[in-house]
Amino acid sequence: MKTNQNYKKLAESYLFSTIAKKVNEYAKNNPDKKIIRLGIGDVTKPLCKSVVEAMQKAVAEMGTQEGFRGYGPEQGYDFLKEKIQKYYKKRNVNLKLDEIFISDGAKSDLGNILDIFSKENIVLIPDPVYPVYVDTNTMQDRKIIFLEANQQNCFLPMPKDEIKADIVYLCSPNNPTGAVYNKIQLEKWVEWAKKNNAIILFDAAYECFISDDSLPKSIFEIKGAENCAIEFCSLSKTAGFTGTRCGYTIVKENLIFDEMSLNKMWLRRQTTKFNGVPYIVQRGAEAVFSEQGQKEIYENINYYKENAKIIAETLKKHNIWFTGGVHSPYIWLKCPNNMTSWEFFDFLLEKAAIVGTPGAGFGKNGEGFFRLTSFNTNENTKEAMERLNKIL
Ligand code: PLP
């Protein structure tokens, strides 16, 4: 038996284990200090009432003879797909029900989608980046070219004629940088993809944080994207489903490459390797799209956004360069006084008992930058910023 040797090429991720080690040591040496964590990439607010009630109702239904459901459709129940269809319709994006695939989250689909692409494809990935794109391609031995995201392009890299690739990952609003592409920028990407017969894998996991209607929440708001893009979305950050698990992937019917329909290939892949998201979870997800559900989830989203604003205002006061913080739960800042990412991490921890995430952990262009997140309480965020004011 031989193993997949590509796993040897995966970069060991020391980021979160090193952070945990440093924080534990600090806590041991400073038992009286309250540590404030602004490095969390997970939501902290509980599921909203509408979701909980919908799931409770579904559990009760499952315990009755008439209401019991076994295997469901692999690509999700129509009741949920119809709500997603309506959600997109509000932004003038027309989707057929067969173009919506319910998943157990964006991460799985972002990795699984590679099943339908040849290993010979060249992949274009921004740096810094959500590490899943790099690792899933490395596991399959695809050639990766990095796209330079930096302060000059405000961490929103644009296509160039000389870049030749088959698959490109775009994430907007971005993790880790919080940067958001505007319509004109995404139009340029669609144009590039069509010219190069390439596909855009568009990660819209943070779309709900966009509050400016002129900014696209979906790649399908861009004309022509239906022929060159797949969109991945998630209820994780939208509705606190990080532990509940539900997302959706949009593969349009007219997405044809190599004379093959990617929609049909993805359906074949999913019906072969996936048995669907639990009925109970899909009922909870359905409630997210109800009028009341939307009201409730936006209370949480706005709560996080208020935290982001508090952080952003503090950074502005100190003339620290940053992206994000407006249409995103993330704030990506340039470390003051030319500190490296890890020097700033140590500085914040030792002087203010604040924990963030060193940008260097997201790629080589992340060096010298730092990610703060809004997934904490208003009180803690305010306290952290007061501490920051004192040490900057
Ligand atoms: N895409 C990005 C950019 C993310 O940051 C995350 C989670 O942090 C995901 C996808 C994964 O989302 P899910 O919880 O739906 O798997």
Side-chain angles (χ1 to χ4, degrees), residues 105-107 110 130 133 171 175 203 205-206 234 236-237 245:
K107 194 189 210 177
L110 281 160
Y130 174 55
Y133 313 149
C171 176
N175 178 16
D203 186 342
Y206 297 91
S234 165
S236 284
K237 310 296 155 82
R245 311 303 307 148

Side-chain angles (χ1 to χ4, degrees), residues 39 64 70 85 150 187 189 216-217 227 230 267 274 277:
T64 65
Q85 189 182 42
N150 48 40
E187 278 166 0
W189 272 111
K217 288 183 161 197
N227 302 114
I230 294 178
L267 177 66
F274 184 58
V277 175

Side-chain angles (χ1 to χ4, degrees), residues 59 108 118 130 215 230 248 252 266:
V59 172
S108 329
S118 159
Y130 174 55
L215 293 170
I230 294 178
Y248 49 92
K252 299 286 289 181
W266 182 241

